[in-house]
Structure formats: C-alpha cells, structure tokens
Amino acid sequence: MSLSVDKEAFYRRMKRLYNVWKKAGDGDAMGKMDAMVVAVGMDEEVVYAKSTSIQIWLFGYELTDTVMALCEEQIIFLASKKKIEFLKQLETGSENADGVPPMTLLTRDKSDGNKANFAKLVEALKASKKGKTMGVFTKDNFPGEFMDSWRAALDKGGFEKVDISSEVAMIMAPKEDDELNAMKKACQITADVFTKHFKEQIMEIIDADKRVKHAKIADSLEQALEDKKILAGADPSSVEMCYPAIIQSGGNYNLKFSVVSDKNTLHFGAITCAFGVRYKSYCSNIVRTMLVNPSDEMQENYNFLMEVEEEVLSHLKHEAKLCDVYEAAIKFIKEKKPELESKFIKNCGFAMGIEFREGSLVLNAKNTAKLRKGMVFNVNVGLQGMTKKGASKNEEKTYALFVGDTVQVNEDSPATLLTPVKKKFKSIAIFLKNDEDDEEEEEEEEEKEDLLQGRGARSAVLQNKLRDEKTAEEKRKEHQVELAQKINEEARIRLSKRKGETVKQKVRKSNVAYKTVSQVPKEPDVRDLRIFVDKKYETVILPVFGVPTPYHISTIKNISMSVEGDYTYLRINFFCPGSALGRNEGNVFPNPEATFVKELVYLKELTYRASNQKNTATSVVPANNLNTAFRIIKDVQKKFKTREAEEKEKEGIVKQDNLVVNANKSNPKLKDLYIRPNIVQKRIQGSLEAHVNGFRFTSVRGDKVDILYNNIKHAIFQPCDGEMIICLHFHLKHAIMFGKKRHRDVQFYTEVGEITTDLGRHQNMHDRDDLYAEQAERELRHKLKTAFKTFIEKVEAITKEELEFEVPFRELGFYGVPNRSTVLLQPTSSCMVSLVEWPVFCISLDEIELIHFERVSFHLKNFDMVFIFKDYSRKVEMVNSVPMNSLDQVKEWLNSCDIKYTEGVQSLNWTKIMKTINDDPEGFFENGGWSFLEPESDSEGDDDDDEEGDEIYEPSGSEFEEEEESDSEYSEDSEDASEDWSGEDLGSDEESGKDWDELEEEARRADRESRYEDEEERPRAGRRQSSHKSSSKGGGGGGRHKPSPHKPSPHKSSHKSSHKSPHKSPHKSPHKSPHKSSSQKRQRKDSGGRSSSKKQRRH
C-alpha cells in the first residue's frame, strides 16, 4: 500500500494508553479490565464512533473489519491481507516501543470463517492478567458477518465487559501539536465559509428580498467547500462537513446540534447558523446569530450574551472542573440579569476532536471531570424562547440568540479562540429602511390631513412641499452652519478648562564645568596659559587676562579658524543673553534679562592669535596649539550635540509596559517584511509576530521593535489593490524609540511586484515570459492578501476585537500633495491616510477642528486643504494641489463625518493666525470665532455698504465729466469692447445675435480701417465718446438721475468679482443687466490691486 503511518505518533500514543492502564485504580473502569478489545466493522451510516476514533488517533486512518486486542504482554491485530501489510510498517519502528508490548499480526482466513484466528485471540485475552474482564466500547455495534462472528466467539469465552469510553476520551482529549494544527486549519476554513460565503449570501438574500428555504442555504454551505479560494490550499479530499448546517429563523428555534434545517422560508429577523468543517478527521464548529432590524432590547441581550461567553472562556483553565465552569456562567447571569436564567441553555458546550461531540466531557452542572491543557472545546451560549416586545408578526414575536466558538484550553490564561470570526453587535446586525412602512405612514398622514383640512388644503400642502424641497448642497450648508456653532461652543468650553494652565518654556540647562577646584586639571598647558580641552568634563580652559578660565562646551556657540599672513586666528563665539540657541523652538537662555554688571558678566567673543613661524628656541610652531585646540573642540562639541539630540528625542517618551511573549509556536506571524522607518540606514527584512499584549518585529540580524496593543491608536491594513506594496500601518498614541529616534508611525510592508521596469527592453504583449510574470504576480498578490487577512483575523481574535484593523476606502480617495509628491489620499473610518510613499500622511479625524479650502476659484485647476486641529498649539497640516473636480466629493465626505469646512480664494498666513488665536482665544471667539473664514461673512457686509451708498450718494456733474475724461485714456481693446456693448439695446427684453454674413462684413471693414488708422483717429475718438454715453445710458453706468426706489430687475449678473474696490462706484442703476458696461469693466480692473490688500487686512 502507498499509505504510510506515523510510527513515532503511534508508539507515543500507545505508550500513553498503557501508562494510564497501569496506573488506574480498582475503582476506575480501566483498572478493572484485564484486556482491551477494539473491533471496527463497516457501517456508512455511522460517522462518529469511539472504536473508529481510536484507530484514527493511532494510525491516522480508519481500518474497517479489523480487531485489535490490547493485552498485558502483547498487542494482536486481526485484519485482511492489505491491512496487515500496512500494519507491518510498525514492526520496523519497534526501537521506539519503550513500554509498549510486541505486536502479533493475524491475517483473516475465510476458509474456516476465521475460527482459528478467533481462538488465538480468545486465548491471548484469557492469558492477559486475570483474563476475565474485557474493556470495550458498548455503544459500538457494527453490523456485518465478520463482526457477528467475532462477537459470538467473544461471548463463548465468558468474559465480563466494562465500558471504557469516558476513560479513553480523557486520554485522547489533550491534543498534540499536529492535532492542534489540523483543528486550527479546520477552524480557519469554517471561518472563511461563514465570512466569504454565508454572510454574503444572507446579505444578498436580504437586499434582493428573496424567498429562500433554510435547507437550501444549508446545502449551499456544503457546496462552498468546493471553492478553492475558501479551502486556501487545503486538500479537498481531506475536507468535509462535521454535520449538515443548521439554519433557523422565524420563531422556530431549537438550540441543539441534533436538529436539521427545515424547509421553511428564511425570515428577516433573528437568523441562527451553526456548522463546522472537518479537516483530516479533526472537527471544528461555529455558531452565530445575525439580527435584522433588531430592537434595543435585542441588542442589549446580545451584548450580554457576549459577556457570558467571555466569562465562560475566563474559567476554562487547566485543572478546573467542568461543572464549575457552567456554574460560573449561571452565577454571572443571576448577578447581572436574573430574568434570563430560565432562558439560558442547559450546557455551555463540549469537548471535540476526532469526534464532534464527546459525551463524557460536556460543560453542564453535573460533570465533575477536570480540564487539561491542550483540550479543545466547542463553547456555546444561548438564550431561547425570548419575546420581542412590540412585534406585530408571529414570526417576530419569538426569537433566540445563539453564539459558539471553538477554543483551546490553556494552563493559566483564559481559553484561546480558534475561530477568528467577528461577533460584536456591529458585525452581525443588519439595519434596513422599510420603504413600505414609510409610504404607509405618509399615506396615513395625508388621509388625516384630508379629513381635517379637506382635499384642497392637501393639494396646497403638496405643492408647497415640492416648492420648498432642498437640494443636497442646501442641506449640506445647513449642516455646516450647525457644525460651526457646535465647534465654536466646544472650543470655548475646551479653552475655559485650560484657563489657568501655565505653559512651561523649555530652558536650556546650565552646565557647570567644574563643581570644585580640585577637579580642575593640573596639566602643563594649563599652567603655561595655553588652550586646553578637558574631554572628561567636556570643558575648554582658556587663558583670559593671564588666568586659566574654564568654559563648558555647551557655552560655546561656534568656533572658526583663519590664517592671515604670518598669523593664525582662532575665534570663539559664546552663547549670551539675546543670542539664539539654535534652530529648536522654545530654547531660552538662562537669565535672558541679565546685564553686564559686576555680579554677572557674560563673554560674547574671544579671539586668539599665534604665529605661523617656528620658534628659534624650541623649533615649534606656536600656531600648532590653536590647530590642535580647534580640532579637539570640534570633536567634543560634536559628541556633546549628538548626546544632547538623543536626550531630546527621549524627552516626553511615555514608558511602555513590557511585552509579554507567548512561547506558543502557533502565534500569528508574518515573515519577510520590511519596517519603515528603517532601524538602520539600510532597509532590512524581518518577521512580525503577535504576542499576548503586543507585536514584536525581529529583523534578520536580531534587532527587535515592540509595539503594544494599548499604544496603537490606528491599525490600518493597506491592501495591494492598485498598489505595489501591501502593508500594516500603526499610528501610535505615544512615540516609541528605535534607531535612536522617536517615531509615531510604524509600518511593516512587502513588495508585490517590480517597482522599476526596464523600458529599453523590447516588450511584446504576447511574450510568454511576460504572461508568466503577470500570472505569477497575480498569484503572489492573492497569496499575500490572504496571508495578511488571516494574520489580521487572528490578531483581532487574540485581542477580542479591542484592536481592529481599518481598511482605506479607495473609492473615496483623491489626489493631493501632503509632502513632496502627489499621492492618493484615502479616508478610513477614523482617519485620513496615504501610506504607500514615505513619509506617510496620517491624521485622526477626531483631532480635527475644521478644514479650510484655499485657492477655490473656477479658473484654477487645483485647490489646497488646510487641517486645523483642536489643539491650537499644534501646527496646521496642509495638502496642496488637490484637483478641483474632487471638491464636491471631499465636501460630501467631510459633511458625512460631521467635520466643519470652509473655503476661500486666498492663501492665508496660518502661522500668524494661530499665534493671534493663542494670544487671545477668548477675544477670538467673542468676535465670531472661525466665522471669519466663511465666504458669506465679507460679501454680506459689502452688499450692505453698497445699498447704503445707493440710497445716500448723488453723483455731481463734475465727477461724471472727470470719469468721462479718464475713460478716454484706455486702450483700443477696451474701446472695441465698448463699441460692441454699446451696439446692443441693453434695456430691451429682446436680444438677437448676428449671422455669419454680418460678421464677415465686419471683419472686412475692420481690415480696411486698420490701413488708414491715422486718418480714422479723430472719427474713432468721437465714436468712442458716443459709445461711452450710450453704454452708460443703457447699462446704467453713468446716468445723472437719482437711483429709483423700486425693485431691481430679475436679470442679475451671475458673475461677482472676488476683489472689492475700496472706492464705491457712483454709477448705480436699479436695473441690473446681465451684461456689464465697459466703464464698469475698467473700474473693476483698475481697482483690483488695491482691493486685494484691503481683503488681506480684513483677515
């Protein structure tokens, strides 16, 4: 046979079986037996049997029509010829049989009906110990001629029988590593079937309002095992369902695993689903309840059921009694919600492995068996017979809640979840908007109005409703007005709480060169009044007026050396009051108001000179001392600044808890990842592993970076869809130190394709190598995506969903320039990110006060976004060059997130604005707060001023004549425009365009006139004057009459200049035409520059 048996596992497990038998007392079933018999027949209807389970446990396969007798001195097998050939493999591994008796293999003989073989077996059984009592599995009665003959021969021997099922179950219950791996694989497949098939199928049925029977949904789950994507590389022949899936809804619930799905139609209420996948004969199970339009009470009960399950898992530990675990759950229910005790199911689960349900290891109130490390349980909690208040339909009146997972028992910690499927309320609840109910309510309201007001009143209401319908933009603006009031109020409260807090200025610490005189070195250079550098105390001893004077290296600002002729000059500049202490903001010199008095004298600069000529007496160049001092001072200064920079990096670092390392080899792990920012200058690979309270990245050279779960503010998974990398990004609450720098953003990524391409190589779309490379890249992308998602699901299961990974919404993304290059900015549920290019861009939405759009103008292609934070001391963030076609999309997204936004045409000086706000926050909000950013705030004021000007101002004749003279000085372009506008009757209602013939005639006339420009100068000047008058008259640009008080014309100009002239035009007409006169155009052009500065001053 081609099948092989694991010899080491066989002898290891057989030895465990014999050791328990030898140590068993007389009160135990195994202590009473003299030998053990395992007989397995053939019955396709029997799925789980203890005889079959022990065979799979020992050999890895089921051996039908086989008898195994475990005697004190030998082990006897009776089987067919092929099975004996398979078992002969165990004879070669007898060197591992320490504590296991030798084996005897008997081949079945059909000639005498196996009588001789049965006689040998009975004789061996009688020779084992007392030879009276046989240990058997009483529930296993396989049919068939061979099994009947064997039972008859055993009965003739007169043996007593004792059931050892529970004892063997306890031996097999603690799982070894290979068994746990098989069960974890089964759990993963189960989770994938639920997430990728069942959940999507239920959503599709609900969305399409289909009528599907429970049995059909259950059958589809079994068919899903044929999908290779769900199997994730598992052998399809090794995968099967543990039992037919159980789907229940519509008020008929039975929270047991012995029921089958009925043929009733799925009801959109409480939907329970229970199923499990078996991989390599090892079982798994999962139970979930999906709630459609649940009430608040249902939500409360479901969340409470989650707490009950957590309570059960916390008591599932090594050496705990099964009954105590169940009693802990009942006690928890009595304390929190005693009214639900009667609704709780009668057991909390059972042990599982090769058999789906181990009847002797059930979590109920009577079982006194103890838990063992490595056992795997199916933990189930449920409430049945629940009543939904206010339900009108019979199917909704009764509901049940049922949740279950496969878990592993640990020694000291709570049980570990093996089924990584989300089960929080937000993950299983589905809320639908019932259009029919809304229509019924509207009809009822309309009927009431008909009865009260009559049919005519109803039609008037409907017309008024249609007339007053608001557009999406109007609704958005209303919401923004509400948000403006809200953020101003919240900011005022926030600032009032901070009132009284003093901001500590960072003062440079004063470094003392020597605390005592005894520390001053007594070197010859000091005595000889030479410059001496003390590296130990980081001090420079300089001769000043014949006295060696020590200066700490921190007092030296800079040092320079120059050679001029025969002399070398060494210049030393010191920090003193009024001088800057470097680029870092907040550095304040100690005693900044100090003056040069007797008690306190500051030295600003020292210059030393030495000759470059050799001293004839000593043959030494005096300038060498200055050269040496310059070099050593530079080195000491560099080391001091480096150390100071490292200390500054460590300032404000919050001390983290120590990482609790889980020694279990089955921790979630991702290999071959890069870390950003780099630990060292060159990027280096490593592996990311999840432990009890955090992640640990270990590089190939041994560097370690720990990130704790409680320090992660945002955990983001960036898929490789449309990107060249796939990564996990962590935005931290508090910065961590590695690579001698502090970091708040840490990323682990791997590349999924070639980032660079050789454009010089000739490429053909049908090139076989390119096709293979593309196929390989697609497979790699799928493989990496699956690996990352599996890792994320396991981590969320470990952390009990306290750490949840967000995925960016690519469809809501837009392009912008946050740093140096254009990137795709994508929102997540709680932040805005761009993670592909480094440095990354990550802003938390809950930290944003408002967002201001700059350079918003129709004639520009791009605009800028300014992020203003609730912490006004924080520098604003900017995203430049956002395409104008993304503006509405960005506004809609911000509005949906309840984030206030404003827009303007100018770029503002945000450094000065934020400084003004921080200097007087109360005055800022008393003057309207952020309302100065609103575009309506200026335009309304200007409109009011214009109206006042219309009512009060009367133009004089002299002013009108001056304007006519100034108009004559404009260019010919404006003259032509004036002629064109003056040719139209602006006051009339009819406007007609010219046909092509007239336009061609005008073009020819213009060509002729250009030849005789000098001759036509005077007539054109006269024509210009007349056109101006007609234009002023028709367009209302320069009339002498006082403006009429009647209402303006509905034909208003749709264009409004962004610049307001400081000089109000006196030529206002009550009739506003859609066409501006040339004089108005010239006035706007002339006053544009001055208005710009006025607008800026207003801000």
Side-chain angles (χ1 to χ4, degrees):
M1 293 179 69
S2 59
L3 300 177
S4 60
V5 62
D6 189 346
K7 302 171 191 176
E8 292 183 4
F10 170 79
Y11 282 108
R12 185 173 61 250
R13 293 168 185 175
M14 187 64 79
K15 183 180 179 180
R16 192 199 302 180
L17 195 62
Y18 268 90
N19 287 339
V20 174
W21 183 16
K22 290 175 183 177
K23 294 177 182 179
D26 294 337
D28 298 333
M30 292 193 74
K32 296 177 182 179
M33 75 176 189
D34 298 319
M36 175 179 171
V37 177
V38 179
V40 179
M42 186 177 293
D43 190 353
E44 294 181 356
E45 294 182 0
V46 176
V47 180
Y48 302 109
K50 193 66 68 183
S51 304
T52 307
S53 299
I54 197 170
Q55 280 190 348
I56 296 172
W57 186 60
L58 291 170
F59 311 119
Y61 299 97
E62 178 182 349
L63 305 178
T64 57
D65 290 338
T66 301
V67 177
M68 178 177 66
L70 276 65
C71 304
E72 186 179 18
E73 302 296 334
Q74 61 177 333
I75 302 174
I76 306 174
F77 292 96
L78 174 61
S80 63
K81 185 177 180 181
K82 288 185 178 180
K83 296 184 179 67
I84 292 297
E85 290 294 330
F86 169 75
L87 293 170
K88 281 183 179 179
Q89 299 177 63
L90 299 172
E91 292 180 341
T92 59
S94 57
E95 63 273 6
N96 299 319
D98 184 19
V100 179
M103 290 186 295
T104 302
L105 304 178
L106 301 177
T107 306
R108 286 173 54 187
D109 186 6
K110 295 183 180 180
S111 59
D112 62 346
N114 291 305
K115 290 182 179 180
N117 289 329
F118 289 157
K120 292 179 182 179
L121 278 169
V122 171
E123 184 180 352
L125 292 173
K126 288 183 177 180
S128 177
K129 288 191 173 182
K130 298 179 182 179
K132 295 181 180 179
T133 307
M134 296 296 104
V136 295
F137 305 122
T138 54
K139 291 184 179 180
D140 296 351
N141 290 309
F142 290 93
E145 184 180 351
F146 177 73
M147 286 291 103
D148 293 339
S149 303
W150 165 244
R151 281 192 288 270
L154 199 62
D155 291 341
K156 288 182 181 178
F159 296 106
E160 296 180 4
K161 297 178 182 178
V162 60
D163 187 12
I164 57 171
S165 299
S166 59
E167 284 74 9
V168 173
M170 281 297 296
I171 296 171
M172 296 169 59
K175 302 295 184 289
E176 298 176 353
D177 288 344
D178 57 339
E179 294 178 286
L180 286 173
N181 291 335
M183 297 193 76
K184 288 176 182 178
K185 183 66 175 177
C187 291
Q188 184 60 51
I189 297 173
T190 303
D192 288 343
V193 170
F194 179 86
T195 306
K196 299 177 182 178
H197 180 80
F198 174 76
K199 199 171 181 180
E200 292 183 0
Q201 185 183 20
I202 293 296
M203 295 291 289
E204 183 182 347
I205 291 171
I206 294 173
D207 287 341
D209 199 13
K210 296 180 181 177
R211 295 178 59 83
V212 184
K213 295 180 179 179
H214 295 150
K216 188 174 182 180
I217 298 174
D219 293 339
S220 70
L221 291 178
E222 191 166 356
Q223 295 170 5
L225 296 181
E226 299 174 3
D227 189 352
K228 292 183 179 180
K229 293 181 181 179
I230 290 178
L231 294 181
D235 183 9
S237 62
S238 302
V239 180
E240 59 181 337
M241 296 293 283
C242 296
Y243 59 94
I246 304 171
I247 313 295
Q248 301 178 88
S249 68
N252 298 320
Y253 301 97
N254 187 355
L255 306 186
K256 294 181 179 179
F257 295 99
S258 56
V259 299
V260 295
S261 300
D262 54 30
K263 295 184 179 181
N264 293 334
T265 305
L266 183 73
H267 176 259
F268 301 161
I271 305 169
T272 63
C273 171
F275 69 94
V277 172
R278 199 179 187 198
Y279 177 68
K280 291 185 178 179
S281 301
Y282 284 90
C283 299
S284 65
N285 193 52
I286 191 173
V287 183
R288 290 290 183 268
T289 302
M290 298 191 72
L291 301 175
V292 182
N293 286 340
S295 62
D296 293 340
E297 184 184 13
M298 293 174 72
Q299 178 179 349
E300 184 181 349
N301 290 334
Y302 182 85
N303 291 332
F304 176 70
L305 197 63
M306 294 294 95
E307 295 176 10
V308 175
E309 186 185 19
E310 291 296 325
E311 186 72 13
V312 172
L313 296 181
S314 64
H315 286 80
L316 274 178
K317 296 180 181 178
H318 182 68
E319 291 293 337
K321 291 184 178 180
L322 301 182
C323 57
D324 292 343
V325 177
Y326 183 79
E327 289 298 331
I330 296 297
K331 182 180 178 182
F332 183 81
I333 295 172
K334 286 181 179 179
E335 291 177 355
K336 302 289 184 179
K337 286 198 171 187
E339 68 275 10
L340 297 180
E341 182 187 357
S342 60
K343 309 292 185 181
F344 194 66
I345 54 179
K346 302 304 178 185
N347 68 73
C348 290
F350 43 80
M352 62 193 312
I354 297 173
E355 290 186 83
F356 173 71
R357 184 179 186 275
E358 182 49 65
S360 60
L361 294 173
V362 179
L363 290 166
N364 56 26
K366 299 179 180 179
N367 199 332
T368 58
K370 290 185 177 181
L371 294 165
R372 294 287 182 267
K373 179 185 176 183
M375 287 184 174
V376 176
F377 273 77
N378 175 31
V379 174
N380 305 302
V381 290
L383 298 171
Q384 55 187 353
M386 304 289 289
T387 303
K388 183 179 180 180
K389 296 178 181 179
S392 56
K393 299 179 181 178
N394 293 330
E395 296 89 347
E396 296 177 352
K397 290 181 179 178
T398 304
Y399 70 94
L401 302 174
F402 200 20
V403 179
D405 289 286
T406 305
V407 301
Q408 176 187 340
V409 178
N410 299 319
E411 189 165 359
D412 297 322
S413 58
T416 303
L417 279 172
L418 301 181
T419 44
V421 176
K422 294 181 180 180
K423 56 190 173 186
K424 284 187 176 180
F425 180 78
K426 63 180 182 181
S427 300
I428 57 91
I430 304 170
F431 292 91
L432 303 176
K433 184 179 179 182
N434 196 337
D435 296 334
E436 294 179 0
D437 293 343
D438 294 343
E439 290 175 2
E440 289 175 1
E441 290 176 2
E442 289 178 2
E443 289 176 0
E444 289 176 1
E445 290 177 0
E446 290 172 1
E447 288 175 1
K448 291 178 181 178
E449 290 174 355
D450 291 344
L451 293 173
L452 295 173
Q453 302 176 357
R455 182 63 62 180
R458 177 192 171 194
S459 60
V461 171
L462 286 177
Q463 289 176 4
N464 189 36
K465 180 181 176 183
L466 291 172
R467 197 177 296 121
D468 294 339
E469 277 185 356
K470 296 177 182 177
T471 62
E473 179 65 23
E474 290 173 344
K475 291 179 181 178
R476 202 160 63 196
K477 285 183 178 180
E478 286 184 1
H479 188 212
Q480 287 297 308
V481 172
E482 295 173 2
L483 290 175
Q485 298 173 353
K486 182 180 177 184
I487 65 169
N488 282 339
E489 187 63 30
E490 289 178 353
R492 192 179 288 109
I493 295 171
R494 191 168 62 246
L495 292 171
S496 64
K497 290 180 180 179
R498 293 182 184 175
K499 190 176 181 181
E501 295 181 2
T502 57
V503 180
K504 294 183 179 179
Q505 278 191 319
K506 195 165 60 175
V507 179
R508 190 186 185 99
K509 64 180 181 180
S510 179
N511 291 305
V512 179
Y514 301 111
K515 294 181 179 179
T516 60
V517 179
S518 60
Q519 293 178 343
V520 179
K522 297 178 175 56
E523 299 291 331
D525 288 344
V526 178
R527 291 196 302 269
D528 296 343
L529 297 179
R530 292 194 184 94
I531 298 175
F532 178 77
V533 182
D534 187 357
K535 295 182 179 179
K536 180 180 179 181
Y537 290 98
E538 295 178 328
T539 299
V540 182
I541 300 177
L542 302 171
V544 180
F545 298 114
V547 179
T549 308
Y551 293 91
H552 193 270
I553 197 70
S554 62
T555 62
I556 297 176
K557 185 176 181 180
N558 53 49
I559 183 171
S560 62
M561 190 174 67
S562 60
V563 178
E564 297 180 7
D566 295 337
Y567 293 96
T568 298
Y569 294 87
L570 180 67
R571 182 178 178 182
I572 303 174
N573 293 320
F574 296 91
F575 289 113
C576 63
S579 64
L581 293 183
R583 300 175 184 174
N584 302 325
E585 295 180 1
N587 285 342
V588 178
F589 194 92
N591 304 320
E593 298 177 358
T595 57
F596 292 90
V597 295
K598 287 184 179 180
E599 292 80 8
L600 202 60
V601 177
Y602 285 91
L603 193 62
K604 185 176 182 181
E605 178 187 331
L606 274 177
T607 304
Y608 292 92
R609 187 184 74 170
S611 175
N612 294 333
Q613 304 297 325
K614 283 187 179 181
N615 193 332
T616 55
T618 58
S619 68
V620 176
V621 178
N624 287 347
N625 181 42
L626 296 186
N627 292 329
T628 305
F630 176 77
R631 179 175 49 81
I632 298 175
I633 290 172
K634 280 286 187 183
D635 292 342
V636 174
Q637 197 175 36
K638 183 179 179 182
K639 291 179 181 177
F640 176 78
K641 288 182 177 179
T642 303
R643 189 177 73 250
E644 203 174 39
E646 290 178 1
E647 289 177 357
K648 187 185 176 186
E649 288 289 330
K650 293 178 182 177
E651 284 180 7
I653 293 290
V654 178
K655 188 177 180 182
Q656 306 292 319
D657 299 332
N658 294 326
L659 182 72
V660 180
V661 178
N662 190 353
N664 195 348
K665 294 181 180 180
S666 60
N667 291 332
K669 192 173 185 178
L670 284 174
K671 297 181 180 179
D672 301 330
L673 298 180
Y674 296 103
I675 184 173
R676 288 198 297 195
N678 297 332
I679 300 175
V680 290
Q681 191 172 5
K682 187 179 180 181
R683 71 173 188 170
I684 190 168
Q685 273 191 335
S687 59
L688 181 67
E689 189 171 4
H691 292 281
V692 176
N693 65 335
F695 297 99
R696 168 165 285 180
F697 176 79
T698 308
S699 69
V700 291
R701 69 173 209 166
D703 303 295
K704 293 179 180 178
V705 178
D706 295 340
I707 301 175
L708 302 185
Y709 299 141
N710 58 11
N711 191 32
I712 297 174
K713 186 170 186 178
H714 302 297
I716 305 163
F717 167 51
Q718 172 72 62
C720 52
D721 300 329
E723 305 290 353
M724 298 306 293
I725 67 168
I726 182 171
C727 71
L728 297 178
H729 184 86
F730 300 109
H731 184 69
L732 307 180
K733 298 175 184 175
H734 307 289
I736 61 173
M737 287 284 295
F738 65 87
K740 296 184 180 180
K741 290 186 179 180
R742 54 193 297 168
H743 306 284
R744 278 197 70 187
D745 287 282
V746 186
Q747 187 178 109
F748 305 96
Y749 73 99
T750 186
E751 296 171 357
V752 295
E754 294 182 1
I755 295 181
T756 59
T757 305
D758 184 7
L759 297 177
R761 187 172 65 87
H762 177 69
Q763 294 181 345
N764 185 0
M765 63 180 294
H766 300 294
D767 189 355
R768 185 170 296 177
D769 293 339
D770 287 349
L771 293 176
Y772 286 152
E774 289 178 7
Q775 178 65 24
E777 184 176 327
R778 281 194 294 270
E779 292 176 357
L780 177 62
R781 285 176 180 269
H782 177 70
K783 182 180 178 182
L784 287 173
K785 198 186 298 184
T786 304
F788 272 72
K789 284 184 177 179
T790 303
F791 176 82
I792 288 169
E793 289 170 353
K794 290 180 179 179
V795 170
E796 289 178 343
I798 289 175
T799 59
K800 298 174 183 176
E801 297 185 27
E802 292 179 4
L803 176 66
E804 292 192 14
F805 283 82
E806 304 174 47
V807 179
F809 303 115
R810 192 176 181 86
E811 61 275 9
L812 297 178
F814 57 93
Y815 287 94
V817 184
N819 295 305
R820 293 186 294 269
S821 58
T822 302
V823 296
L824 179 64
L825 297 161
Q826 303 175 74
T828 70
S829 57
S830 62
C831 55
M832 163 75 73
V833 297
S834 172
L835 306 177
V836 177
E837 291 193 19
W838 198 265
V840 298
F841 181 80
C842 182
I843 290 181
S844 302
L845 299 183
D846 58 359
E847 297 176 355
I848 297 174
E849 177 92 335
L850 65 90
I851 292 177
H852 182 66
F853 302 128
E854 294 183 340
R855 300 191 306 113
V856 178
S857 180
F858 292 110
H859 66 275
L860 295 178
K861 294 182 180 179
N862 301 314
F863 67 93
D864 302 331
M865 291 178 68
V866 182
F867 295 82
I868 304 161
F869 300 101
K870 294 177 180 177
D871 181 7
Y872 294 156
S873 61
R874 182 175 171 184
K875 187 179 178 182
V876 299
E877 294 277 355
M878 293 192 69
V879 175
N880 300 319
S881 302
V882 181
M884 191 63 71
N885 56 12
S886 301
L887 182 60
D888 287 339
Q889 174 188 335
V890 174
K891 284 182 178 180
E892 187 62 35
W893 167 67
L894 291 175
N895 194 60
S896 65
C897 296
D898 291 339
I899 296 177
K900 170 66 180 169
Y901 64 81
T902 56
E903 63 181 69
V905 296
Q906 293 179 337
S907 296
L908 305 177
N909 189 337
W910 286 101
T911 305
K912 291 184 178 179
I913 291 173
M914 298 310 296
K915 185 178 183 302
T916 305
I917 295 172
N918 286 321
D919 290 344
D920 185 16
E922 293 180 356
F924 171 72
F925 285 105
E926 285 176 2
N927 294 330
W930 296 107
S931 59
F932 78 95
L933 293 173
E934 298 286 353
E936 293 85 1
S937 61
D938 292 334
S939 61
E940 289 175 359
D942 293 341
D943 292 342
D944 295 340
D945 294 342
D946 292 346
E947 290 174 4
E948 291 177 4
D950 289 345
E951 294 174 2
I952 298 170
Y953 188 79
E954 278 191 50
S956 65
S958 60
E959 289 179 353
F960 179 67
E961 290 171 1
E962 288 176 3
E963 185 165 346
E964 283 186 337
E965 291 175 3
S966 64
D967 286 345
S968 64
E969 296 173 3
Y970 282 93
S971 64
E972 292 183 7
D973 295 336
S974 60
E975 290 173 7
D976 295 338
S978 176
E979 289 175 1
D980 293 339
W981 291 115
S982 64
E984 298 176 8
D985 186 6
L986 301 179
S988 64
D989 293 332
E990 295 181 3
E991 295 178 7
S992 59
K994 298 178 181 179
D995 58 16
W996 285 107
D997 295 335
E998 292 176 345
L999 292 172
E1000 288 177 359
E1001 181 62 28
E1002 284 185 4
R1004 283 194 295 270
R1005 188 166 58 249
D1007 291 339
R1008 286 195 302 269
E1009 289 175 352
S1010 63
R1011 298 172 189 170
Y1012 306 102
E1013 186 175 356
D1014 296 336
E1015 296 178 6
E1016 293 290 321
E1017 185 175 357
R1018 291 182 64 186
R1020 286 173 64 185
R1023 190 164 57 248
R1024 181 170 65 246
Q1025 186 175 3
S1026 64
S1027 68
H1028 172 70
K1029 290 181 179 180
S1030 63
S1031 173
S1032 301
K1033 186 176 181 180
R1040 296 175 182 269
H1041 61 279
K1042 188 175 181 179
S1044 301
H1046 56 74
K1047 293 182 180 180
S1049 169
H1051 302 286
K1052 291 186 178 180
S1053 172
S1054 61
H1055 172 74
K1056 184 179 287 186
S1057 173
S1058 60
H1059 301 292
K1060 301 295 181 182
S1061 172
H1063 305 287
K1064 296 286 187 287
S1065 173
H1067 310 296
K1068 293 283 182 177
S1069 172
H1071 300 283
K1072 294 186 179 180
S1073 170
H1075 303 287
K1076 297 282 186 181
S1077 69
S1078 60
S1079 61
Q1080 288 174 323
K1081 288 187 176 181
R1082 285 194 293 271
Q1083 183 186 3
R1084 184 168 62 247
K1085 182 177 179 181
D1086 181 53
S1087 61
R1090 293 191 296 274
S1091 65
S1092 169
S1093 60
K1094 183 179 178 182
K1095 181 95 173 184
Q1096 196 169 6
R1097 286 196 299 274
R1098 187 184 299 117
H1099 284 297

